[in-house]
Amino acid sequence: MEKINFLELPDKELEKELVSISIKAKGHSYSPYSKFKVGAALLTQNGKIYIGANIENASFGATICAERTAVIKAVSDGENKFIAIAITSDSDNYTYPCGICRQVLSEFDKGDMKVICSNNSGKFRVLTLRELMPEIFEL
Ligand code: THU
């Protein structure tokens, strides 16, 4: 099978591609408590894609969101420059990243990365991280 170079795709195609990968990632969600499945697909500047799903825990507090799963996978693999992240769930509404995930993304990105928020029919809205998280906390 031909390997896609995601960095060469036109914007709209890239966005659709990332949404469809996030929908596949959602299938790996471990969410027996909320039953709210979330998937994420994170594209790095080296053209690599890291997928993530939410992983819940009986303690509730130890739950990890799909976006953070993807970020932690990427960063621990040496990839910490991001182009875009797509997020999806089974909701009719667009799925936006929670506040903690916005902060975690902001650790590695000044705000230019795209955040592609999709709904259960694959419709999506594209924002920059800066729009979702202006005036970030920095040390
Ligand atoms: N969740 C995510 O995976 N990403 C978000 O940005 C918001 C919330 C997960 C956490 C929990 O497993 C479920 O959705 C319900 O909050």
Side-chain angles (χ1 to χ4, degrees):
M1 210 175 75
E2 209 189 309
K3 224 175 146 217
I4 303 175
N5 184 345
F6 291 95
L7 299 177
E8 282 177 357
L9 291 177
D11 282 5
K12 272 285 150 288
E13 269 179 56
L14 172 65
E15 289 156 10
K16 275 193 199 155
E17 201 58 59
L18 286 177
V19 167
S20 98
I21 296 168
S22 73
I23 292 169
K24 282 188 206 136
K26 185 182 68 181
H28 302 146
S29 166
Y30 175 77
S31 41
Y33 307 105
S34 74
K35 312 246 188 302
F36 191 87
K37 296 180 184 191
V38 185
L42 177 66
L43 174 65
T44 73
Q45 272 184 18
N46 288 326
K48 290 193 183 173
I49 295 202
Y50 291 86
I51 58 169
N54 55 330
I55 302 173
E56 298 188 342
N57 187 272
S59 73
F60 290 16
T63 291
I64 306 171
C65 293
E67 301 91 315
R68 273 179 291 144
T69 304
V71 169
I72 268 57
K73 282 170 73 179
V75 175
S76 59
D77 201 26
E79 296 279 320
N80 64 9
K81 293 196 169 52
F82 306 146
I83 304 270
I85 187 166
I87 306 150
T88 198
S89 75
D90 291 329
S91 171
D92 293 343
N93 302 319
Y94 295 124
T95 301
Y96 297 103
C98 78
I100 298 175
C101 290
R102 293 178 198 202
Q103 180 69 36
V104 168
L105 287 165
S106 299
E107 182 72 26
F108 300 102
D109 189 89
K110 290 280 170 243
D112 293 326
M113 73 178 290
K114 285 184 187 181
V115 183
I116 305 156
C117 306
S118 94
N119 72 1
N120 59 11
S121 62
K123 235 182 114 200
F124 59 86
R125 185 175 168 208
V126 184
L127 298 113
T128 62
L129 181 60
R130 188 173 293 104
E131 287 173 293
L132 289 169
M133 190 77 175
E135 312 296 353
I136 56 162
F137 170 75
E138 282 174 302
L139 286 180

